[in-house]
Amino acid sequence: ETITIQELANRMAERAVDVIKLLMQQGQMLKINDVIDADTAELIANELGHTVKRVSEADVEEGLYGEPDDPADLVPRPPVVTIMGHVDHGKTSLLDALRETNVVAGEAGGITQHIGAYQARTPSGDVITFIDTPGHAAFTSMRARGAKVTDIVVLVVAADDGVMPQTVEAINHARAANVPIIVAINKMDKPDADPGRVRNDLLRYEIVVESLGGETLEVEVSALKRMNLDKLLEAIHLQAEVLELKANPNRPAEGVVVEAKLDRGRGPVGTVLVQRGTLKVGDVLVCGAEWGKVRALIDDKGDNVDSAGPATPVEVLGLDGTPEAGDRFAVVDSEARAREIAAYRQRKKRERQHARGVGAKTSLEQMMSQLKEQGRKEIPLVVKADVQGSVEAIIGALDKLGTDEVAARVLSGGVGGITESDVTLAAASGAVIIGFNVRANRQAREAAERDGVEIRYYNIIYNLVDDVKQAMSGLLAPTL
Ligand code: GDP
């Protein structure tokens, strides 16, 4: 256990130079970034009149995210929506269009700021929060970091183009996260728009829209002509009602960072989405490995606000460093505690970065023991194969393996080589990737190495099924 002089000084709120002087008096010539061991640190701390409490990992994180709320304290909150879909199908246009409709609806303040998320209103006045960074990467990387942010995915499909590879990817990501999908069939203004084809295409991915007798809400829109945006907002509201989204606003705030940057004038700026509680100016918070005292909160209209409740995105000023998108934040009761947790996480982060070189892997074996610990009963898998027939055969065979206690869950089954996107999905879900008669490309291999995702290759279905079967029974065949 070691600590840098800088960190020790920070934690005691003393000047590093005073620490160095003390060490010098004891015959140690050290610089600000040098490390000292825990005993020396304790000595110095005592010397400076601090009481030392060595904290264990559990101490630091424990209680940070508070107890579950009493159901009696929960009140309805707006849904949080992410827009996903194939490139050029109109995600950005739709986000912009929905944002502008909102301004037309008479909100004071005019044009909204881009802060990474914004709120819009349905014609009947219900609030909806949109994550303003379209795309799967944002969605999945947040999920990979344990942050469940999105309640509903709006899947944009261009009516003149139909279901495309990234549409399928988006479906898989939303499914893996257990988030309901609403289909927005976009570009309906185009003469070659064919919404019927979109509906039929989606059937192949087990999305049955309402007009075909299914349960998935669908809306035909045109982001360009601002057509049916009200209907889309209403559909989102309807879906949200089914989900009965609630949160307790009367508690210290917790939530997630959706965007962060270092602003020249304002310093580190993080856009956070409050998930429960209410964030207020003056609150002390820990945000990933950073901490700060909230100097100002700025909403999506660019206005300063005093507080932000559940599902409300705000920019936070006053952090000591720039957090990362996907970091969780929590309000704590003192600056000392905030500093301690942040310092601890900084250290962990460095250790992780160091360990990454060594390569931690989600092997089937590890996965099973993790699943056991969590009491989970599913083995998440991403399956890629050379032909559709193989994909179906594999999924069918894996289905048959399932028992009441444990089952394989294929998050995504597709034709083609293993790509980086497969790895992202697997990493976010703690899944293993199975390649049947296909290989991973270079980017995928690098990503798998980086994220510690196991890729297993097979060319005989029997072997594949057998391995999964053994994994299920906890008796794993030696890693290939
Ligand atoms: P993204 O890549 O999914 O974010 O797609 P964009 O929003 O950037 O849109 C891609 C292109 O499609 C742009 O040239 C848009 O102007 C165009 N586009 C988006 N929505 C519509 C629409 O409803 N109708 C028509 N005709 N074009 C659209």
Side-chain angles (χ1 to χ4, degrees):
E1 189 73 15
T2 60
I3 186 170
T4 67
I5 290 171
Q6 174 78 73
E7 221 167 270
L8 177 64
N10 284 350
R11 285 206 218 173
M12 298 185 298
E14 299 279 357
R15 296 187 317 161
V17 49
D18 292 332
V19 176
I20 293 173
K21 271 188 201 154
L22 267 176
L23 284 162
M24 219 147 64
Q25 284 167 16
Q26 298 173 1
Q28 294 202 57
M29 300 293 287
L30 295 171
K31 289 192 287 294
I32 192 159
N33 288 320
D34 289 338
V35 291
I36 51 178
D37 61 34
D39 291 336
T40 312
E42 184 160 353
L43 214 71
I44 296 291
N46 286 333
E47 201 83 18
L48 287 166
H50 294 273
T51 36
V52 174
K53 193 178 127 234
R54 291 203 196 169
V55 288
S56 71
E57 300 190 7
D59 285 344
V60 173
E61 300 284 345
E62 193 186 332
L64 187 56
Y65 297 109
E67 299 286 306
D69 290 297
D70 185 337
D73 296 330
L74 300 179
V75 298
R77 65 161 174 87
V80 179
V81 177
T82 299
I83 295 190
M84 307 219 278
H86 195 71
V87 63
D88 278 348
H89 279 197
K91 298 179 291 293
T92 313
S93 306
L94 197 56
L95 275 164
D96 289 346
L98 289 165
R99 191 200 315 250
E100 280 165 35
T101 329
N102 190 39
V103 174
V104 176
E107 296 258 343
I111 289 300
T112 52
Q113 306 285 113
H114 175 90
I115 64 167
Y118 69 88
Q119 293 194 312
R121 273 174 200 281
T122 66
S124 42
D126 299 292
V127 175
I128 295 171
T129 303
F130 287 93
I131 302 279
D132 199 355
T133 41
H136 317 165
F139 181 82
T140 315
S141 72
M142 282 195 206
R143 213 165 65 76
R145 321 192 61 210
K148 182 171 192 290
V149 183
T150 303
D151 300 307
I152 296 167
V153 164
V154 168
L155 180 70
V156 180
V157 191
D160 61 337
D161 203 23
V163 171
M164 298 304 269
Q166 286 167 340
T167 316
V168 178
E169 225 177 87
I171 295 170
N172 291 332
H173 283 293
R175 283 232 174 96
N178 254 325
V179 174
I181 291 172
I182 294 175
V183 178
I185 306 179
N186 191 33
K187 306 200 185 183
M188 285 301 294
D189 59 287
K190 286 205 158 184
D192 53 346
D194 185 356
R197 185 174 67 139
V198 173
R199 294 188 179 91
N200 279 322
D201 282 355
L202 287 171
L203 284 176
R204 277 199 278 136
Y205 304 95
E206 283 151 53
I207 293 194
V208 190
V209 294
E210 269 196 318
S211 62
L212 295 184
E215 299 199 329
T216 304
L217 299 180
E218 80 207 278
V219 187
E220 294 180 359
V221 299
S222 162
L224 194 71
K225 303 277 184 217
R226 308 282 189 267
M227 192 189 96
N228 281 350
L229 300 184
D230 286 358
K231 276 194 188 151
L232 178 58
L233 290 169
E234 282 303 341
I236 294 169
H237 174 64
L238 208 67
Q239 181 71 60
E241 279 195 328
V242 175
L243 298 174
E244 293 191 53
L245 304 165
K246 288 180 177 166
N248 174 8
N250 299 310
R251 50 162 297 133
E254 288 172 19
V256 176
V257 177
V258 293
E259 202 171 280
K261 59 177 184 240
L262 186 61
D263 187 293
R264 251 209 226 150
R266 302 184 297 168
V269 181
T271 296
V272 303
L273 187 68
V274 177
Q275 293 184 296
R276 59 179 188 158
T278 299
L279 184 63
K280 305 186 188 77
V281 173
D283 277 349
V284 174
L285 57 83
V286 185
C287 195
E290 313 298 337
W291 76 280
K293 185 166 173 157
V294 180
R295 195 168 73 228
L297 295 173
I298 299 159
D299 70 9
D300 56 350
K301 319 284 183 300
D303 296 328
N304 276 279
V305 292
D306 296 328
S307 66
T312 310
V314 274
E315 279 188 336
V316 176
L317 271 55
L319 293 169
D320 70 333
T322 313
E324 289 170 35
D327 277 343
R328 290 179 74 188
F329 82 86
V331 167
V332 295
D333 49 20
S334 72
E335 290 191 22
R337 179 148 163 73
R339 208 179 268 129
E340 174 184 273
I341 297 169
Y344 167 81
R345 289 189 178 166
Q346 293 275 3
R347 198 167 64 238
K348 281 277 144 192
K349 202 162 135 184
R350 278 197 300 274
E351 281 170 16
R352 263 202 310 277
Q353 277 159 359
H354 181 72
R356 207 165 273 165
V358 185
K361 270 199 184 285
T362 321
S363 65
L364 259 177
E365 213 164 339
Q366 270 176 4
M367 189 172 77
M368 280 311 291
S369 66
Q370 271 169 20
L371 292 177
K372 246 187 230 159
E373 261 170 39
Q374 299 162 358
R376 274 178 63 191
K377 296 177 167 97
E378 283 171 340
I379 299 183
L381 299 170
V382 170
V383 176
K384 291 302 279 283
D386 52 345
V387 292
Q388 187 61 30
S390 304
V391 177
E392 277 157 24
I394 291 166
I395 293 178
L398 290 175
D399 262 352
K400 280 201 206 103
L401 285 181
T403 66
D404 287 346
E405 275 156 34
V406 61
R409 180 172 175 223
V410 179
L411 300 174
S412 156
V415 174
I418 295 162
T419 64
E420 194 171 355
S421 158
D422 296 320
V423 177
T424 320
L425 176 63
S429 315
V432 166
I433 299 175
I434 287 184
F436 185 80
N437 284 336
V438 294
R439 310 297 296 177
N441 65 21
R442 191 174 52 81
Q443 289 93 328
R445 282 198 306 274
E446 282 168 7
E449 187 66 35
R450 191 181 63 232
D451 299 341
V453 171
E454 190 187 20
I455 303 178
R456 292 170 83 102
Y457 300 105
Y458 296 90
N459 47 27
I460 298 171
I461 293 190
Y462 174 81
N463 291 345
L464 185 169
V465 172
D466 205 44
D467 274 3
V468 175
K469 193 152 103 191
Q470 299 222 36
M472 280 178 170
S473 57
L475 303 161
L476 184 73
T479 309
L480 302 180

